Amino acid sequence: MKEVYGTVFHMNQGNPFKLKALVDSWPGFNTVVVCPQEQDPQSCQEFLGRSDVINWKQHLQIQSAQSSLDEVIQSLAAAKLVKVKKTQCILYMMPKTVKKLVPFLLDTQNFRPEAETPQVINQEMFKLSSLDVTHAALVNKFWHFGGNERSQRFIERCIRTFPSFCLLGPEKTLVSWALMDHTGELRMGGTMPEFRGQGLVSYILYIQTQTLEKLGFPVYNHTDKANKTIQKISHRLHHVAMPCDWNQWNCVPL
């Protein structure tokens, strides 16, 4: 599971978010929860239901390849007075990461080992740069899961901790961007509305992927099955869709 691999990768690189990966059993685990505390879980529902593992009184997101987890989450949400929205997603892995981690997929998909070079951008108008923490408010505004103080603090921490990429406009204002989160996933990408349709996100994702792969990072991303724009970008860049379900449960206390 790419989230587990990405999280453990960062934990082994100094663990900047001070995380612990908890499993329901070992070595044959089915559930992994990432949090600061050490626990000894007994079962999936008991594990997820414990307040010292997951704080159900806050907004949270659960991700899993197990669609069967839906019944457990819905049951817990009803008991804890939490509204849940489930989203089915597509999980992508970048070509070189596929070759390194899941080479058996090379025989089952029309695999291309290199990402396709995106269209050329106007380099006189746009300058490639990295994000500054002062950009966090704008990223937070356009992030689907953002818009609050907690999400902005998270974005600021990601900017300070991990490589980030952006394009600045003629006035050195933020035009397009992409970040990495604590699981190693490419997240929170966006473009200002007036600059959309010029292939800027594709360009940033290409540069981001090339750079992170050279640094030894595993490179992943996911998108909602309804997000056809990102799916088209991923297809053009030869991102490899994983042959598994990928589900998100966004939980909000009532």
Side-chain angles (χ1 to χ4, degrees):
M1 186 185 297
K2 64 93 188 174
E3 295 282 355
V4 176
Y5 185 92
T7 299
V8 173
F9 179 90
H10 284 309
M11 289 169 65
N12 288 335
Q13 300 296 315
N15 198 8
F17 275 60
K18 307 301 179 186
L19 301 174
K20 294 286 185 181
L22 311 179
V23 296
D24 57 347
S25 61
W26 186 263
F29 62 88
N30 292 306
T31 303
V32 181
V33 172
V34 177
C35 64
Q37 300 87 8
E38 292 189 34
Q39 304 296 340
D40 182 22
Q42 301 299 317
S43 67
C44 181
Q45 183 153 350
E46 177 186 345
F47 185 32
L48 296 178
R50 290 172 55 172
S51 60
D52 54 352
V53 173
I54 293 181
N55 179 7
W56 289 89
K57 295 181 180 180
Q58 66 181 2
H59 291 221
L60 61 94
Q61 183 183 102
I62 299 171
Q63 299 186 34
S64 176
Q66 299 170 282
S67 297
S68 58
L69 195 60
D70 185 57
E71 184 176 345
V72 171
I73 293 174
Q74 296 292 349
S75 176
L76 284 168
K80 296 181 179 295
L81 301 179
V82 171
K83 180 181 178 181
V84 177
K85 179 184 177 182
K86 179 185 176 184
T87 304
Q88 291 184 307
C89 300
I90 300 172
L91 178 62
Y92 292 102
M93 191 177 288
M94 308 317 169
K96 288 185 179 179
T97 303
V98 170
K99 190 174 182 180
K100 180 179 179 181
L101 299 182
V102 282
F104 67 88
L105 287 179
L106 305 184
D107 299 326
T108 61
Q109 296 197 25
N110 185 18
F111 179 78
R112 300 180 184 179
E114 298 291 339
E116 182 176 314
T117 304
Q119 68 185 61
V120 177
I121 65 168
N122 185 339
Q123 296 190 9
E124 292 185 1
M125 178 178 292
F126 303 116
K127 178 185 177 183
L128 183 66
S129 184
S130 57
L131 287 158
D132 185 86
V133 290
T134 58
H135 295 136
L138 188 59
V139 175
N140 189 40
K141 177 182 177 181
F142 285 95
W143 186 28
H144 182 68
F145 300 110
N148 57 73
E149 292 183 5
R150 187 181 182 90
S151 60
Q152 181 163 327
R153 290 196 300 270
F154 175 74
I155 292 168
E156 290 171 354
R157 196 172 182 185
C158 289
I159 291 173
R160 290 191 182 101
T161 307
F162 304 121
S164 63
F165 301 81
C166 70
L167 290 173
L168 302 178
E171 305 298 324
K172 296 186 177 180
T173 55
L174 188 60
V175 170
S176 190
W177 58 89
L179 289 77
M180 170 185 278
D181 72 7
H182 59 292
T183 69
E185 184 172 0
L186 310 189
R187 297 291 304 277
M188 297 169 273
T191 300
M192 294 297 292
E194 61 268 31
F195 292 100
R196 291 173 185 170
Q198 301 182 49
L200 302 184
V201 165
S202 295
Y203 179 82
I204 288 179
L205 286 175
Y206 175 80
I207 297 297
Q208 183 181 33
T209 299
Q210 297 293 306
T211 303
L212 294 176
E213 286 177 338
K214 288 178 181 178
L215 293 172
F217 286 93
V219 189
Y220 321 87
N221 74 315
H222 77 269
T223 189
D224 189 328
K225 284 188 175 181
N227 192 335
K228 302 302 181 183
T229 299
I230 295 298
Q231 290 173 45
K232 288 179 181 178
I233 291 173
S234 294
H235 179 73
R236 285 199 299 268
L237 294 177
H238 300 165
H239 298 173
V240 182
M242 294 293 98
C244 65
D245 291 331
W246 191 249
N247 307 284
Q248 286 183 175
W249 292 267
N250 293 293
C251 307
V252 180
L254 296 174

